[in-house]
Amino acid sequence: MAARIAKIRNFYTFFTAAKCKLPPLAFLHGANLSTESKRSSLAALTLAAIGIVYGDIGTSPLYTLKTIFDAEHGLALSQDNLLGVISLVVWGLTIIVSLKYVTLVLRADNKGEGGIMALMALALSSLPKPSRSYTGLLLIGVFGAALFYGDSVITPAISVLSAVEGLEVATPALKPYVVPLTIIVLVLLYAAQSHGTAGIGRWFGPVMLLWFLALAAMGVVNIVQRPEILGALNPWHAVQFVMHNKLVAFIALGAIVLAFTGAEALYADMGHFGKLPIRVAWFTVAFPALALNYMGQGALLLAHPEAISNPFYQQLGAWSIYPLVVLSTCATVIASQATISGTFSMTKEAIALGFLPRMRILHTSATEMGQVYMPAINWLQLAAVLLAVIGFGSSENLAAAYGIAVTATMLATTVLTYFVVRHRWKLNIVVCVLATGFFFAVDAAFFSANVLKLMHGGWFPLAMGGALLLVMLTWKHGRALVFANLQKHAIPLEAFLESLFVSPPERVPGTAIFLRAESDGVPHAMLHNLSHNKVIHERVIFLTVHICDQPWIPAREQIDVVALGHECYQLNVRFGFKDETDIPAVLARCEDHGLVFHMLETSFFIARQTVISAPGEGMAPWREHLFVAMSRNARDAADYYHIPTNRVIELGTQVEI
């Protein structure tokens, strides 16, 4: 699944601190630790990765097989077909997850961070700007990120709905209550977001470990009864299935891909846990449990074909249904929580990279910077999730909408990975094509199969992704037009200061900080202040914030001070797209650069831009109006940069686009 960026660091912090009294990921960054401490840290982070990274792919057995053999696909439930399908699932997990993501894509880290936004930034950094390749990769990366939002709506809906559907297996009389109960669970989940996950996050790993152990145990029980299902480990069954069924097999690929949803989470969460814990968790827990359970469900269907109505809940008999409903609901809530947290994280990155307007971001933890809550995104996503649950009504119907977003993101990741391997790592083009071409062919086959479901629900995530893509590109282009307008009327700063101090205005005590855009001239706020107040502070700081194409900037590299004379300074601050944009915290570190700030003696002058749509060049009128509306509702700069509101002076300016 696209970029499952679960910002739940409190969990692994808890385990690491409790077990080995070390900072998270310390052993991954070369700390001088004992072997015992390293093992303890690895165990803690591996358990954390099980709880956060594998929630989505771990809950796929709830609905995958019953969807593959749905009557609409026209695939008969025979022994040969069953062996072929299980073989495709097991070898798909091996090729797509183990080889592509765990072996190859995890190597393409952006300063230790993963996810499609980080991968896009890494790929773009190795290409000349502007160029066709640069623009093309930008569109691919942004579209992949936009699809994530559609994906993040389907995941909570299908996961929780498929878990609650177990009640139908217990007694058909409960069928009318499945959708209402699903809605209740989802509303409670989203309503709890503002409180953070510090309290329950510590249980994610143990609960998901219990879930995977249950998957493995159920699989073993059924495999023992029909051991011939182990023949599915032979890939020839998958080849025969495709050759014999042809079109029907091609259509079935659209449902088989459901077994791989959540693969993107391995890469997206790399920055939280590191490569080693994610790999250990996959090869020792998640992969064996998933393979055993899929083969166990296959063995069950060999013995009892009638169980195809819901093979997951019939693996152990009627006595196990209610306990499984409880456990699967907990597991799907955890998977959904990871998706919601990932949505907040992705949005925060998109804002930093200039693809979305500034929004209100609340921190739900006093100790973990990554624990954030975005009210607007939270409630918009809940509304979309509830529409999906009510509109589609069942996990089978939602499955048709699920695959196309997942496979499109997989394709985008493969293309971006090629450019990283070729242009960043400078490997031979033959090696690059061989390394990514095979995975591209596999992804393209799954994507093509899902395109057939476009009119059966596949349009839903594409429509949401397309709408988000339009919003993101409109905001990016609109900001470029605003910047071009400001540049056209900009007054060079150095020349202005030189002329200003020929006959300087009266200087008043204190420090004035003027926020100044990159490569901008004299800030409009300064011009307005001089025009109306006729004074200038005894110390003037021109503050420019640069957002870099890497996730983190070390604190020692964030600050650059340039003296302009007459107690005027240019202060350049560099943030990574995952850094916390906390200006007061940066100012506190400026003492090492010769600047000491006392907040009660410091005033921040900010120009509030009022964007006006004007006829002529630019975007289409409706896009300009969309940009104007977003600009007016964007979070103000002072709030975004954590500047105390009682130290801010805003001066208005109009900008035409």
Side-chain angles (χ1 to χ4, degrees):
M1 179 179 299
R4 197 71 72 233
I5 310 171
K7 285 277 193 177
I8 310 182
R9 297 182 180 178
N10 62 293
F11 176 67
Y12 68 76
T13 301
F14 170 82
F15 272 95
T16 306
K19 293 190 175 185
C20 53
K21 305 297 183 185
L22 293 168
L25 302 181
F27 75 97
L28 296 175
H29 295 287
N32 185 21
L33 309 177
S34 67
T35 301
E36 184 179 352
S37 295
K38 289 181 180 180
R39 289 175 179 172
S40 180
S41 295
L42 178 60
L45 288 171
T46 300
L47 182 60
I50 292 170
I52 303 303
V53 177
Y54 296 108
D56 186 7
I57 197 170
T59 53
S60 295
L62 281 165
Y63 47 79
T64 297
L65 274 187
K66 75 171 183 177
T67 303
I68 293 172
F69 287 100
D70 188 274
E72 291 186 1
H73 296 150
L75 183 62
L77 181 57
S78 65
Q79 179 168 333
D80 289 340
N81 287 344
L82 193 55
L83 286 171
V85 165
I86 299 299
S87 184
L88 277 172
V89 169
V90 172
W91 282 100
L93 290 171
T94 303
I95 293 171
I96 294 176
V97 184
S98 299
L99 293 182
K100 176 185 171 181
Y101 282 96
V102 176
T103 303
L104 176 63
V105 178
L106 278 184
R107 296 175 182 269
D109 64 293
N110 189 340
K111 304 292 184 180
E113 287 292 331
I116 195 163
M117 295 294 281
L119 183 63
M120 178 187 71
L122 186 66
L124 292 177
S125 67
S126 60
L127 295 176
K129 177 184 178 181
S131 65
R132 290 185 178 179
S133 297
Y134 187 96
T135 303
L137 279 190
L138 181 67
L139 289 174
I140 290 173
V142 175
F143 187 57
L147 281 176
F148 163 75
Y149 288 95
D151 194 10
S152 66
V153 168
I154 303 294
T155 297
I158 193 173
S159 298
V160 178
L161 191 56
S162 60
V164 179
E165 280 175 346
L167 296 174
E168 292 183 41
V169 180
T171 169
L174 294 175
K175 183 175 182 178
Y177 301 98
V178 169
V179 170
L181 285 174
T182 301
I183 291 173
I184 291 172
V185 172
L186 288 170
V187 169
L188 291 175
L189 174 62
Y190 279 87
Q193 294 305 306
S194 61
H195 303 290
T197 57
I200 61 172
R202 68 189 63 183
W203 299 105
F204 286 0
V207 170
M208 289 308 300
L209 180 60
L210 177 62
W211 169 257
F212 281 115
L213 291 176
L215 291 182
M218 290 189 294
V220 169
V221 168
N222 287 283
I223 291 171
V224 168
Q225 296 178 8
R226 295 298 295 265
E228 59 265 36
I229 194 64
L230 293 174
L233 294 174
N234 184 351
W236 183 243
H237 285 288
V239 175
Q240 282 187 315
F241 171 76
V242 174
M243 293 175 61
H244 178 73
N245 290 282
K246 297 182 175 65
L247 179 60
V248 174
F250 178 69
I251 295 173
L253 289 179
I256 290 172
V257 76
L258 296 175
F260 320 133
T261 58
E264 283 283 332
L266 279 74
Y267 182 53
D269 289 317
M270 178 170 53
H272 296 170
F273 306 103
K275 301 173 186 178
L276 184 57
I278 289 176
R279 285 171 172 157
V280 171
W282 172 251
F283 285 115
T284 62
V285 178
F287 185 26
L290 290 169
L292 286 171
N293 193 260
Y294 282 120
M295 287 191 291
Q297 290 189 46
L300 172 69
L301 294 175
L302 285 177
H304 304 283
E306 68 278 5
I308 192 57
S309 59
N310 201 320
F312 179 84
Y313 282 108
Q314 300 185 52
Q315 292 181 87
L316 297 180
W319 67 268
S320 66
I321 293 177
Y322 288 112
L324 280 178
V325 168
V326 173
L327 181 58
S328 60
T329 301
C330 293
T332 54
V333 165
I334 291 172
S336 302
Q337 177 60 60
T339 302
I340 297 167
S341 299
T343 305
F344 297 155
S345 178
M346 174 74 79
T347 304
K348 189 169 179 285
E349 292 176 20
I351 292 171
L353 290 170
F355 288 104
L356 286 175
R358 293 186 295 263
M359 301 180 192
R360 189 184 181 202
I361 302 175
L362 302 177
H363 291 264
T364 58
S365 172
T367 58
E368 289 300 316
M369 183 181 67
Q371 291 291 317
V372 297
Y373 168 64
M374 307 180 73
I377 297 298
N378 186 69
W379 299 116
L380 284 173
Q381 188 179 24
L382 173 61
V385 169
L386 294 183
L387 284 175
V389 170
I390 297 170
F392 287 92
S394 69
S395 59
E396 291 95 330
N397 295 335
L398 274 168
Y402 204 4
I404 196 164
V406 173
T407 51
T409 306
M410 287 180 174
L411 269 174
T413 298
T414 302
V415 172
L416 292 172
T417 302
Y418 167 80
F419 280 88
V420 172
V421 173
R422 176 73 180 118
H423 298 283
R424 187 80 177 186
W425 298 349
K426 307 295 184 183
L427 295 184
N428 182 276
I429 190 170
V430 176
V431 176
C432 299
V433 171
L434 291 176
T436 58
F438 172 69
F439 297 123
F440 182 86
V442 173
D443 294 341
F446 282 113
F447 177 75
S448 301
N450 276 278
V451 169
L452 299 176
K453 300 189 290 185
L454 189 62
M455 302 308 297
H456 299 278
W459 60 269
F460 184 66
L462 286 183
M464 287 190 292
L468 261 296
L469 177 66
L470 177 64
V471 167
M472 294 168 83
L473 293 181
T474 297
W475 182 257
K476 188 76 169 178
H477 191 191
R479 291 304 304 169
L481 291 174
V482 168
F483 180 74
N485 181 285
L486 294 174
Q487 281 286 89
K488 186 168 58 176
H489 300 95
I491 302 172
L493 180 61
E494 290 78 5
F496 175 80
L497 291 177
E498 184 177 345
S499 63
L500 176 67
F501 287 106
V502 170
S503 179
E506 181 181 351
R507 307 199 74 161
V508 296
T511 299
I513 298 181
F514 294 93
L515 266 65
R516 178 172 176 251
E518 297 182 34
S519 303
D520 199 1
V522 181
H524 282 213
M526 184 177 190
L527 294 174
H528 285 298
N529 183 53
L530 286 169
S531 174
H532 293 285
N533 298 323
K534 317 297 184 186
V535 297
I536 187 171
H537 286 70
E538 62 183 0
R539 187 172 64 169
V540 177
I541 308 294
F542 299 100
L543 174 61
T544 302
V545 176
H546 304 264
I547 302 296
C548 304
D549 59 359
Q550 60 190 70
W552 312 102
I553 302 293
R556 63 182 180 277
E557 300 176 12
Q558 286 185 342
I559 301 170
D560 178 42
V561 177
V562 179
L564 303 176
H566 306 285
E567 282 300 298
C568 296
Y569 302 88
Q570 172 64 45
L571 173 58
N572 295 306
V573 178
R574 294 175 177 83
F575 290 120
F577 57 80
K578 279 182 172 288
D579 278 320
E580 187 68 12
T581 52
D582 191 337
I583 291 299
V586 170
L587 296 181
R589 299 202 306 270
C590 284
E591 185 174 356
D592 297 336
H593 298 265
L595 294 178
V596 178
F597 294 92
H598 301 288
M599 203 55 65
L600 293 179
E601 300 174 2
T602 303
S603 299
F604 294 84
F605 289 82
I606 300 175
R608 175 174 282 276
Q609 297 171 348
T610 301
V611 182
I612 300 174
S613 175
E617 296 183 0
M619 297 183 288
W622 65 270
R623 287 188 69 193
E624 288 189 354
H625 290 301
L626 174 61
F627 175 75
V628 169
M630 288 191 290
S631 181
R632 289 176 179 172
N633 289 281
R635 181 186 180 195
D636 62 82
D639 190 26
Y640 183 72
Y641 291 121
H642 303 281
I643 299 172
T645 55
N646 62 344
R647 307 309 306 165
V648 174
I649 300 171
E650 286 190 343
L651 299 170
T653 181
Q654 289 188 345
V655 182
E656 290 187 353
I657 59 171

